[in-house]
Amino acid sequence: MIKISTLIVLLFGLGLPLAAQDKADLQAVQRIRKEGLDHSRVMDIAFQITDVAGPRLSNSPGLKRAQDWAMKQFTEWGLKNVQLESWGKFGKGWQVDKYYAATTVPYYHPIIASPKAWTPGTNGLIRSEVILIKADTVTDLDKYKGKLSGKIVMFDQMTLQPLQNTYKPDAVRHTDSALNKMDQATTETQRPRPAGDNNMRAQMMKIRAVRAAISAMLTEEKAGLILTYARGSYGTFFTSNGASYALDAKPVSPELEVSAEDFLHILRLLRAGQKVEIEAEIKTSFYDQDPNGYNVIAEIPGTDKELRDEVVMIGGHYDSWHSATGATDNAAGAAVMMEVMRILKTIDFKPKRTIRIVLWSGEEQGIYGSRGYVAKHFGDPKTKENEKVSAYYNLDNGTGTVRGIYLQGNEAARPIFKEWLGPFNDLGAGTITINNTGGTDHLSFDAAGIPGFQFIQDPMDYNTRTHHSNQDTYDRLVEDDLKKSATIIASFVYHTSEREKQIPKKPLVKTN
């Protein structure tokens, strides 16, 4: 039986051993390593995106500050075709202008919380006894009608359990055995559907129906503020969307997402019949003058007469959630990709193919920025425009260093990437897996028939502490990891731009 590796050589090697065709340019790698590891600017870039620009919720003033700065920085580095390009209509922007909340009875205690995204403010300081709503069905709400105007309310969530201590470390790196398992995978892993999934879905639909009825009633009753339980512990809470960002969205009540410790503290008191009073003041602003979403784009133009119209693309999403400054999600990825462009420009690289970076917006709401870009520029996977893109590389899994790459099912790229990772085995990067990671912007390209890849990164404390949380700040970034990632990706971009042939594409899947 002929081996798959032999077939790849025959299909893509043009009579030459594929490894020989794609040997890493060690002189170029050395220049990239020296600039990326010894003269890095990645933390300076991350500082501007996080501490200076602030939270970057889609269409918010913070995102616009970050986009304006990126365009200015790209121009100063000498990149070309720097522009802010609309990908389509998004909706309203939103930001928190002021937040304060504390219990005053039975004693004063500041509450760790954040307004939910796209919810209104309180129209000044409000003081109220907290009303505990117990409702398992819509009809249970009747007893609260006429009693909630201006009041602070919370739900009696009977399923909530006491918080448990954890004895596992927050931050971890991939073990050799975990990386080896990824490397040895033969087919893309599909997550099994949990047992009882249909029953769980039905229960969730019932809960959502009750919650929707409660929300409508609270808005009609003009409730002053809703307190909502936020997932997390140890003062960390994970935020979420609280209302629609559509221009014609229906009004909702002000809502606070409260840390588990503070929510449970209030809930225990109320269940015991103790009186709890809270004072709070929230001010939020909406921005609807320009509902379009925008991506930041910049290029290092190609120089080869025959290949300069072809493109190597890199990117990461620039938007974030609002309870922190979006450092690991995804200032880390954006800063690394900006640093890649700085490295290549600083070493005076004159690529054969054009190198294009795009900083996406609207990713958190549904990878809208990359989807809109791909639809606008490439559309049908069979178009000629698609043939001009050799590959798209994405970074969006936190601050952890690159340990390898996900093939997204593109087995033909394995021997190529193996050669390019070779010079970085000393940095811990060498794993290649057929599998894919969680959904982010590379999927927009893969869906259009363009080779789209996400890099394997050390998990660190991304899922346990920082992802969409109030702890996602500059302090959670690991400088050495970001420097390594930028260096490795810069080398990938270099070799992709110089390769005689484009990165092999997967066969298009036939659809009816």
Side-chain angles (χ1 to χ4, degrees), residues 70-82:
M71 293 177 66
K72 180 175 180 291
Q73 189 63 80
F74 285 145
T75 302
E76 290 178 359
W77 287 343
L79 272 60
K80 304 300 181 183
N81 301 322
V82 178

Side-chain angles (χ1 to χ4, degrees), residues 184-205:
Q184 296 302 314
T186 55
T187 58
E188 287 190 83
T189 303
Q190 299 295 326
R191 293 183 181 179
R193 177 173 290 183
D197 186 57
N198 289 334
N199 291 334
M200 186 184 299
R201 187 176 290 114
Q203 185 65 21
M204 288 301 297
M205 289 178 66

Side-chain angles (χ1 to χ4, degrees), residues 171-188:
V172 296
R173 294 192 183 276
H174 282 305
T175 62
D176 290 343
S177 60
L179 290 170
N180 184 62
K181 184 177 180 180
M182 295 169 71
D183 198 89
Q184 296 302 314
T186 55
T187 58
E188 287 190 83

Side-chain angles (χ1 to χ4, degrees), residues 178-383:
L179 290 170
N180 184 62
K181 184 177 180 180
M182 295 169 71
D183 198 89
Q184 296 302 314
T186 55
T187 58
E188 287 190 83
T189 303
Q190 299 295 326
R191 293 183 181 179
R193 177 173 290 183
D197 186 57
N198 289 334
N199 291 334
M200 186 184 299
R201 187 176 290 114
Q203 185 65 21
M204 288 301 297
M205 289 178 66
K206 178 182 177 182
I207 292 172
R208 285 172 184 164
V210 174
R211 290 289 167 80
I214 292 175
S215 179
M217 183 195 72
L218 292 176
T219 301
E220 184 178 343
E221 294 277 310
K222 295 182 170 55
L225 180 63
I226 303 170
L227 307 182
T228 304
Y229 180 84
R231 180 177 62 87
S233 62
Y234 298 99
T236 296
F237 64 87
F238 297 85
T239 192
S240 60
N241 190 19
S244 172
Y245 43 82
L247 295 177
D248 58 352
K250 295 180 179 179
V252 298
S253 300
E255 187 169 352
L256 268 188
E257 205 152 29
V258 181
S259 64
E261 291 86 354
D262 285 338
F263 189 95
L264 291 172
H265 160 230
I266 298 168
L267 182 60
R268 286 192 299 270
L269 288 170
L270 293 174
R271 283 176 174 175
Q274 296 289 320
K275 182 178 181 180
V276 179
E277 291 185 358
I278 286 178
E279 63 178 18
E281 184 175 7
I282 301 167
K283 183 180 179 182
T284 63
S285 294
F286 293 85
Y287 301 87
D288 58 5
Q289 297 88 347
D290 184 357
N292 289 326
Y294 295 89
N295 301 316
V296 178
I297 303 173
E299 295 179 342
I300 301 176
T303 58
D304 185 273
K305 185 176 180 180
E306 295 182 358
L307 298 177
R308 63 191 177 197
D309 287 339
E310 295 185 6
V311 183
V312 181
M313 294 188 64
I314 64 173
H317 76 85
Y318 214 35
D319 61 304
S320 76
W321 284 101
H322 60 287
S323 62
T325 54
T328 67
D329 186 29
N330 181 40
V336 163
M337 292 313 201
M338 289 184 71
E339 173 70 356
V340 167
M341 300 298 277
R342 188 200 67 81
I343 290 170
L344 296 175
K345 190 66 179 175
T346 300
I347 67 172
D348 198 29
F349 176 43
K350 301 292 194 299
K352 291 181 179 178
R353 294 177 174 87
T354 294
I355 300 170
R356 180 181 302 153
I357 183 173
V358 187
L359 303 176
W360 312 109
S361 72
E363 191 272 352
E364 296 292 3
Q365 288 71 46
I367 61 175
Y368 292 145
S370 57
R371 281 181 175 177
Y373 178 91
V374 169
K376 180 177 181 178
H377 291 275
F378 306 127
D380 188 332
K382 299 177 183 178
T383 64

